[in-house]
């Protein structure tokens, strides 16, 4: 397998920072819709409180974050493990004080959020008990312990 190929079904390499950074460097991001996911957009449109703390883990190209900001949300945090991507996102939102862009591992991140929005991040956790670990960590972030939105396509 090519070192910079996107492995959507199986992968013989760990899905670590080097792997994800290589995907963005090579532009092998087949999971990227190129726009905010319609079900997530519809959900965002139902939210009334524009000041809630929102986290987008494994944020990718941040279409959801951009849409949230366009709709007037004031407390958005995005986190991704890929340095190449995070540099691009930082530049995209350089003058916007309503978003915090973080380079880091979701599982090492500390914070409290009213809502966690994600589309494909959860899908990378299919082996063993990884999805259970994700949900336990996501629950630790939630102020309300029930504020999750998952879209599995």
């Amino acid at each position: 397998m090519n070192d910079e190929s996107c492995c959507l079904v199986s992968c013989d390499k760990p899905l670590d920072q080097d792997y994800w950074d290589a995907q963005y460097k090579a532009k092998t991001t087949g999971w990227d819709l190129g726009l905010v996911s319609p079900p997530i957009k519809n959900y965002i449109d139902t939210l009334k409180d524009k000041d809630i703390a929102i986290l987008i883990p494994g944020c990718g190209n941040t279409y959801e974050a951009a849409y949230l900001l366009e709709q007037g949300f004031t407390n958005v945090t995005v986190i991704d493990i890929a340095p190449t991507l995070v540099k691009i996102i930082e530049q995209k939102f350089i003058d916007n004080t309503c978003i915090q862009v973080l380079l880091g591992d979701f599982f090492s991140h500390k914070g409290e959020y009213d809502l966690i929005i994600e589309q494909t991040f959860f899908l990378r956790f299919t082996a063993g008990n990884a999805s259970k670990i994700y949900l336990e960590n996501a629950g630790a972030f939630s102020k309300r312990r029930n504020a999750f939105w998952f879209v599995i396509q």
Side-chain angles (χ1 to χ4, degrees):
M1 170 181 273
N2 177 324
D3 281 337
E4 294 183 339
S5 297
C6 179
C7 3
L8 296 176
V9 177
S10 66
C11 188
D12 56 353
K13 299 185 324 181
L15 300 179
D16 59 9
Q17 185 176 55
D18 292 337
Y19 171 83
W20 291 109
D21 203 48
Q23 301 310 306
Y24 285 98
K25 284 180 180 175
K27 298 183 176 31
T28 52
T29 54
W31 62 87
D32 189 323
L33 290 176
L35 52 92
V36 62
S37 167
I40 292 176
K41 179 185 178 296
N42 292 340
Y43 177 72
I44 291 169
D45 291 343
T46 69
L47 300 173
K48 304 291 184 232
D49 185 353
K50 306 291 185 182
D51 297 320
I52 60 172
I54 300 171
L55 174 67
I56 304 176
C59 64
N61 283 303
T62 65
Y63 306 110
E64 288 76 15
Y67 185 72
L68 285 162
L69 296 170
E70 289 168 9
Q71 300 310 303
F73 287 85
T74 62
N75 190 0
V76 178
T77 301
V78 298
I79 185 169
D80 206 286
I81 199 167
T84 298
L85 174 67
V86 169
K87 287 178 187 171
I88 293 167
I89 295 168
E90 286 173 336
Q91 287 304 303
K92 180 178 180 178
F93 297 113
I94 196 165
D95 294 324
N96 194 321
T97 59
C98 296
I99 186 169
Q100 183 178 17
V101 179
L102 304 175
L103 171 63
D105 184 342
F106 168 77
F107 297 108
S108 301
H109 180 63
K110 304 289 183 220
E112 280 193 350
Y113 300 93
D114 298 300
L115 180 64
I116 298 173
I117 296 176
E118 62 89 19
Q119 175 174 325
T120 57
F121 183 68
F122 180 71
L123 296 178
R124 82 174 266 246
F125 304 104
T126 56
N129 67 349
S131 58
K132 181 178 184 265
I133 293 168
Y134 171 83
L135 292 173
E136 287 170 355
N137 278 277
F141 289 126
S142 174
K143 291 179 184 177
R144 293 181 246 173
R145 301 289 187 252
N146 64 353
F148 301 98
W149 175 255
F150 293 97
V151 176
I152 298 178
Q153 297 176 336

